[in-house]
Amino acid sequence: MQLVVASQNQGKLKEIRSVLADSGIEVIGLDAFDDLTVAEEDGETFHDNARKKAVAIAEQTGQLCLADDSGLEVAALGGKPGVYSARFAGEGASDQQNNELLLKKLAGVPDAQRQGAFCCVMALCTPEGECQYFEGRIEGRILAESLGSQGFGYDPLFYVESHGCTMAQLPLDEKNRISHRGQALQKLVVAVKSL
C-alpha cells in the first residue's frame, strides 16, 4: 500500500518511514511529484491545518494522503507557539532561530513554570475528502539551553522527565515510540490495517 505524506520536511518523513517500516505501507514524500500546490497553513488549529494539507494533496495525486500539523504549546506563553511553531521567529525561520526566540520569551521564567507539550494531529484523507484523525501528545519541560543533537525543531530544548533527557538525546526508535507524532502514527497503523 502506498501513502503520500504531505510534507517536504525530511526529518518528519524519516520519522514516519521508521514507524511504518514494518507495516507494509510505502511512504511517498512530496518530492516524488512535480507541480503540486501545497495548501497554506492558515488554520487556527492543528486539525484545520492537517486536513487542509491532506485534502489538497489527495485531490491532486488521486491517492490516500497523510498530513500532520504539530507543534509546541508552552503554558507560560499561553499555549504559543502552537500552530505557528515552524514559523515562530517568522516565515522561513530556521530551527535555531525558533529556539532562540523561545528561549528569549522564556527568559526569567523559573524551571517549575516552563511546562510544555508537543501536540500532533494527523489527517488521513481520501481524494474524495473523507478524513480520519489521529492525535498524540507528550508533556515535558522547556530547558534554558539546548541538549542533544538528534531530532529537529524544538527537540533539544524539550526535556522528557520520564526519560531524564531531551527529545534530541533519545535514540530515534525510542523517540518514535513516545513522541506526539509516534503516538499518532501508532494509532494510524491500527486504522490502516483495518481498511
Side-chain angles (χ1 to χ4, degrees):
M1 175 181 173
Q2 290 188 333
L3 178 63
V4 177
V5 176
S7 180
Q8 296 176 13
N9 181 319
Q10 293 304 311
K12 194 178 285 190
L13 287 168
K14 181 180 178 184
E15 281 185 13
I16 293 170
R17 283 186 177 115
S18 176
V19 172
L20 298 180
D22 298 328
S23 68
I25 300 168
E26 180 189 356
V27 174
I28 302 169
L30 294 183
D31 53 351
F33 300 91
D34 293 325
D35 302 325
L36 291 180
T37 303
V38 180
E40 187 177 347
E41 293 183 50
D42 56 2
E44 293 183 15
T45 67
F46 295 129
H47 274 91
D48 293 342
N49 286 334
R51 178 181 170 78
K52 278 187 74 173
K53 292 189 288 186
V55 167
I57 299 302
E59 286 176 350
Q60 293 172 72
T61 62
Q63 296 187 53
L64 193 62
C65 181
L66 178 70
D68 89 311
D69 197 33
S70 52
L72 177 66
E73 295 180 341
V74 180
L77 302 179
K80 291 180 181 169
V83 295
Y84 302 102
S85 293
R87 52 194 186 279
F88 191 39
E91 209 60 53
S94 68
D95 289 349
Q96 183 177 342
Q97 290 169 320
N98 287 329
N99 283 327
E100 287 170 359
L101 179 59
L102 179 63
L103 290 176
K104 182 178 175 184
K105 292 203 176 273
L106 288 175
V109 176
D111 277 354
Q113 295 172 20
R114 295 172 77 101
Q115 297 93 348
F118 273 131
C119 305
C120 174
V121 175
M122 292 191 158
L124 179 66
C125 300
T126 67
E128 295 74 39
E130 295 172 17
C131 299
Q132 285 183 278
Y133 299 95
F134 309 93
E135 298 179 37
R137 179 182 179 92
I138 184 168
E139 305 284 339
R141 186 167 43 90
I142 311 304
L143 298 181
E145 62 180 358
S146 295
L147 291 176
S149 59
Q150 305 295 315
F152 60 96
Y154 299 96
D155 287 353
L157 295 175
F158 192 86
Y159 187 80
V160 184
E161 303 283 353
S162 61
H163 285 64
C165 64
T166 67
M167 291 291 260
Q169 292 174 304
L170 289 170
L172 183 61
D173 60 341
E174 182 62 11
K175 178 188 173 187
N176 286 343
R177 193 180 68 74
I178 68 165
S179 77
H180 54 309
R181 191 170 296 108
Q183 292 172 34
L185 281 169
Q186 288 159 22
K187 294 171 186 173
L188 166 78
V189 169
V190 172
V192 168
K193 284 182 176 175
S194 70
L195 287 178

